[in-house]
């Protein structure tokens, strides 16, 4: 069972992002403040959960959370400020979107920048340790997947409904065959060198 939170503050927010390693689409972040009596047997790092369990958890988290926020930073801004800064910006925006200002923030990973003057703690693999980060990871992942399903309808050749923009062999083959589109991150290495060569 995951710990509820890291600090003794009442309003501690957990934040996480999804889509950092993708070749296309936005990076999406969520922030969540959970009540002290929250628990759910399925709640875990979203990468450890089936799609079905993530979709079961999302409305429960949204209903029972004291506050939550979700934010997107799209590919043009990712290309402009880099993926690390874009991920942190998305987390800041998700915290800003909450109806409660947190007293403390815990962040999945090892990089963050001060948000206002609120104290924070970065926690490597925090989404597998604390419920509020795990809840944020579920929201970030489900909102991002939903967005990728939506743009898949306009660009079915990349099969984002299945690969969600991650650098799978199938996705890269489609980029080689059809080229990149406006949803791709041009600052990323879209094709490995061996696929660029006309052998």
């Amino acid at each position: 069972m995951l710990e509820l939170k890291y600090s003794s503050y009442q309003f501690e927010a957990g934040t996480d992002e999804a889509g950092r390693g993708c070749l296309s689409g936005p990076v999406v972040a969520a922030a969540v403040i959970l009540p002290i009596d929250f628990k759910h047997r399925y709640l875990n790092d979203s990468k450890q959960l089936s799609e079905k369990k993530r979709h079961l958890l999302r409305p429960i988290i949204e209903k029972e959370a004291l506050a939550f926020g979700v934010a997107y930073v799209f590919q043009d801004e990712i290309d402009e400020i880099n993926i690390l800064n874009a991920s942190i910006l998305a987390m800041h925006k998700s915290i800003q979107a909450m109806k409660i200002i947190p007293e403390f923030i815990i962040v999945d990973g090892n990089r963050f920048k001060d948000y206002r003057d609120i104290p924070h703690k970065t926690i490597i693999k925090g989404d597998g340790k604390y419920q509020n980060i795990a809840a944020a990871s579920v929201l970030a992942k489900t909102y991002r997947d939903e967005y990728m399903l939506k743009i898949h309808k306009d660009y079915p050749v990349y099969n984002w409904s299945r690969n969600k923009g991650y650098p799978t062999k199938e996705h890269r083959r489609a980029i080689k065959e059809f080229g990149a589109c406006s949803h791709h991150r041009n600052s990323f290495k879209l094709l490995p060198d061996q696929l660029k060569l006309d052998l």
Side-chain angles (χ1 to χ4, degrees):
M1 190 71 182
L2 309 187
E3 303 259 351
L4 179 72
K5 56 184 184 170
Y6 173 84
S7 73
S8 58
Y9 289 95
Q10 181 183 0
F11 297 129
E12 177 187 282
T15 185
D16 196 7
E17 52 71 28
R20 189 167 163 174
C22 294
L23 303 179
S24 56
V27 62
V28 179
V32 178
I33 299 174
L34 293 173
I36 56 168
D37 59 349
F38 184 88
K39 54 176 172 284
H40 195 286
R41 62 196 176 103
Y42 289 155
L43 185 58
N44 202 345
D45 167 12
S46 65
K47 295 182 289 296
Q48 306 297 322
L49 299 174
S50 66
E51 188 173 10
K52 184 178 179 181
K53 284 181 179 172
R54 288 196 297 266
H55 283 285
L56 183 147
L57 280 165
R58 175 169 144 181
I60 295 168
I61 293 165
E62 292 180 344
K63 182 183 176 189
E64 297 193 24
L66 299 177
F68 74 91
V70 178
Y72 301 73
V73 173
F74 289 91
Q75 56 281 353
D76 293 348
E77 195 160 10
I78 292 170
D79 289 338
E80 194 176 314
I81 65 174
N82 82 40
I83 188 60
L84 174 62
N85 287 324
S87 299
I88 293 170
L89 176 61
M91 289 190 272
H92 282 192
K93 285 182 167 186
S94 71
I95 296 163
Q96 189 178 354
M98 290 193 297
K99 65 184 181 185
I100 295 173
I101 298 170
E103 300 166 287
F104 195 84
I105 301 162
I106 59 173
V107 184
D108 183 57
N110 63 354
R111 302 291 291 278
F112 195 63
K113 294 176 182 174
D114 288 344
Y115 177 76
R116 299 185 178 177
D117 292 320
I118 301 168
H120 71 264
K121 171 73 175 171
T122 56
I123 301 169
I124 294 168
K125 297 188 177 173
D127 48 4
K129 296 173 183 174
Y130 294 97
Q131 289 191 64
N132 50 11
I133 299 181
S137 81
V138 168
L139 295 191
K141 174 70 174 153
T142 54
Y143 274 86
R144 188 180 188 282
D145 284 358
E146 195 172 81
Y147 179 84
M148 296 308 293
L149 287 173
K150 188 173 81 172
I151 63 173
H152 164 81
K153 292 172 185 172
D154 296 324
Y155 295 90
V157 293
Y158 303 109
N159 206 5
W160 290 329
S161 63
R162 190 162 74 181
N163 63 55
K164 305 300 189 294
Y166 283 91
T168 61
K169 287 181 181 177
E170 170 195 53
H171 188 185
R172 285 187 148 144
R173 272 198 304 269
I175 294 169
K176 185 174 190 297
E177 186 174 350
F178 301 104
C181 75
S182 60
H183 292 287
H184 281 102
R185 302 173 183 177
N186 294 320
S187 56
F188 278 47
K189 192 171 188 176
L190 298 178
L191 291 176
D193 293 333
Q194 66 265 31
L195 281 181
K196 290 181 181 174
L197 300 173
D198 290 316
L199 298 176

